[in-house]
Amino acid sequence: MTHPDPAPSPKIVVTPDSFKSTASAEDAAEWLAEGVRSVIRDAQLVLTPMADGGEGTSSLFEGERICLPTTTAAGRLTEAEYTFHAPTATAFIDVAAASGLPAVEDDPVPLTGDTYGTGVLIADAQTRGATRIVLGLGGTATVDGGTGILVALGVNPLDAAGYQLPPGGGALEKLASFDTAKVNVPAGAVEWVLLTDTTAPATGPQGAARVFGPQKGAGPEDVETLERGLARLCEVAEVDPQTPGLGAAGGVGIGLTWLSTMLHGDASHVHIVPGARAVADSNGLAEHVDGAALVITGEGRYDGQTGTGKVASVVGELAREAGAVFAIAAGSFEEASPEGTLAVTLPDVEDTREQLVRAGAEIAVAYLNTSTVQG
């Protein structure tokens, strides 16, 4: 009598984004996997932390972690880290590391917040030998069009009377010109790779001020002020405000495109690319997903912006291409997930680890039930 071969252990890929300031992508992957393993004990688990250009992106790249003093979006002293990969002369920097929302969440600075602190990191990276800066454009507290970075690199925005503008996007509508007498040419002339988590343009109904301003504490009048400021910046910088992705990180790409064009004569040294795709290419996610039975991702909130290039949308595409079951664990679902997705809301408990372990177990149970029904 012959016995049927036992069912092979399912290959399960766990590839979440970070959960804002509560769990890194690495921790989230570990804890979701722990929950899966409690239900499917023989699973072949592959953990591939993900990011889309927001908080935690730079830590997923290979290289030395550099920590140095800088300033928050509100101009207060802080410390921030980035990754420097010497063999390729590449620095991986999250704008959120210095200029992120968590540091000013209790006292938002939508009109006066700036990216000067990120510029300090960029200048430091160049002194270490970086000729290529990969900048993660997500999770910022600012809508300054990247002018804070410009100031840190020696470029001063001026009003019509020749006075330097105060920090932040609230003053940009008065912009008349830039003083470039003290520009840090080596830092400004690097190859820029801007990782976006959105396709939003700089201005308009889907632009940086109107879509992301309220998330950064901007009221209705503030939003209109920031909208006028970004429009004026694009005009002075001679940058097309409707360029997809230019609205990421409060329009950081505007200032950097102007700077690079001023130094090189064109914008060929600025590359605006989808962050989640770039990270997936770097960590070999497509190869990991190949042959998987189940692919699990996670993020803090699944909403209307998820489909514009965030981790869940990219992971979902790869899962579907591989013929795998796709699951999402999220703190909340403000939009319906794609048909056929296993969507699990994190349980309402205090401990983040427990939330994710329990979500992983719930996904595993749902997957087994789905497999039984389909099989």
Side-chain angles (χ1 to χ4, degrees), residues 231-255:
R232 178 59 183 161
L233 175 61
C234 287
E235 185 181 357
V236 173
E238 298 183 347
V239 171
D240 180 1
Q242 295 310 303
T243 303
L246 207 57
V252 157
I254 305 169

Side-chain angles (χ1 to χ4, degrees), residues 30 51 68 70 95 150-151 163 167-168 178 186 210 243 258 265-266 278 284 289 291 321 329 347 362 371:
E30 288 281 354
L68 69 152
T70 184
V95 180
L150 296 186
V151 172
Y163 292 106
F178 292 106
R210 294 205 168 104
T243 303
W258 170 84
D266 58 34
V289 167
E321 289 168 9
E362 187 177 339
S371 300

Side-chain angles (χ1 to χ4, degrees), residues 10 30 42 59 67 87 99 124 167 186-187 203 258-259 272 300 336 355:
E30 288 281 354
D42 63 342
S59 66
C67 180
S99 313
D124 180 81
T203 60
W258 170 84
L259 177 61
I272 301 175
Q355 284 184 316

Side-chain angles (χ1 to χ4, degrees), residues 43 52 71 86 147 154 161-162 170 174 221 225 280 282 299 319 336-337 350 362:
D52 55 17
T71 56
T147 51
K174 298 177 182 177
E221 289 185 13
T225 298
S282 174
E299 61 179 5
S337 56
E350 287 292 322
E362 187 177 339

Side-chain angles (χ1 to χ4, degrees), residues 181-230:
K182 297 180 180 178
V183 61
N184 182 338
V185 174
V190 300
E191 198 81 11
W192 299 97
V193 180
L194 309 183
L195 304 183
T196 68
D197 61 353
T198 176
T199 55
T203 60
Q206 302 303 314
R210 294 205 168 104
V211 173
F212 303 110
Q215 298 174 12
K216 304 176 188 192
E221 289 185 13
D222 297 338
V223 166
E224 294 311 310
T225 298
L226 293 169
E227 174 73 10
R228 292 193 301 271
L230 290 177

Side-chain angles (χ1 to χ4, degrees), residues 209-347:
R210 294 205 168 104
V211 173
F212 303 110
Q215 298 174 12
K216 304 176 188 192
E221 289 185 13
D222 297 338
V223 166
E224 294 311 310
T225 298
L226 293 169
E227 174 73 10
R228 292 193 301 271
L230 290 177
R232 178 59 183 161
L233 175 61
C234 287
E235 185 181 357
V236 173
E238 298 183 347
V239 171
D240 180 1
Q242 295 310 303
T243 303
L246 207 57
V252 157
I254 305 169
L256 294 182
T257 299
W258 170 84
L259 177 61
S260 188
T261 300
M262 191 258 302
L263 294 172
H264 290 288
D266 58 34
S268 61
H269 288 71
V270 180
H271 315 279
I272 301 175
V273 301
R277 278 287 175 187
V279 175
D281 290 343
S282 174
N283 66 18
L285 183 58
E287 290 78 10
H288 292 315
V289 167
D290 186 39
L294 171 64
V295 177
I296 302 170
T297 193
E299 61 179 5
R301 180 175 63 187
Y302 188 95
D303 58 20
Q305 293 169 26
T306 299
T308 65
K310 290 191 179 290
V311 166
S313 65
V314 171
V315 174
E317 288 173 22
L318 292 173
R320 282 188 290 276
E321 289 168 9
V325 176
F326 177 51
I328 304 171
S332 63
F333 286 85
E334 297 181 13
E335 286 217 350
S337 56
E339 187 176 353
T341 302
L342 303 180
V344 170
T345 303
L346 299 188

Side-chain angles (χ1 to χ4, degrees), residues 21-78:
S21 52
T22 60
S24 67
E26 293 91 342
D27 284 343
E30 288 281 354
W31 296 337
L32 284 166
E34 186 179 334
V36 171
R37 196 180 292 112
S38 70
V39 176
I40 309 174
R41 298 188 183 279
D42 63 342
Q44 302 174 43
L45 287 163
V46 178
L47 277 55
T48 311
M50 269 291 289
D52 55 17
E55 182 183 5
T57 299
S58 72
S59 66
L60 298 183
F61 290 92
E62 185 181 341
E64 179 188 0
R65 290 294 281 172
I66 308 292
C67 180
L68 69 152
T70 184
T71 56
T72 68
R76 298 188 182 92
L77 193 64
T78 188

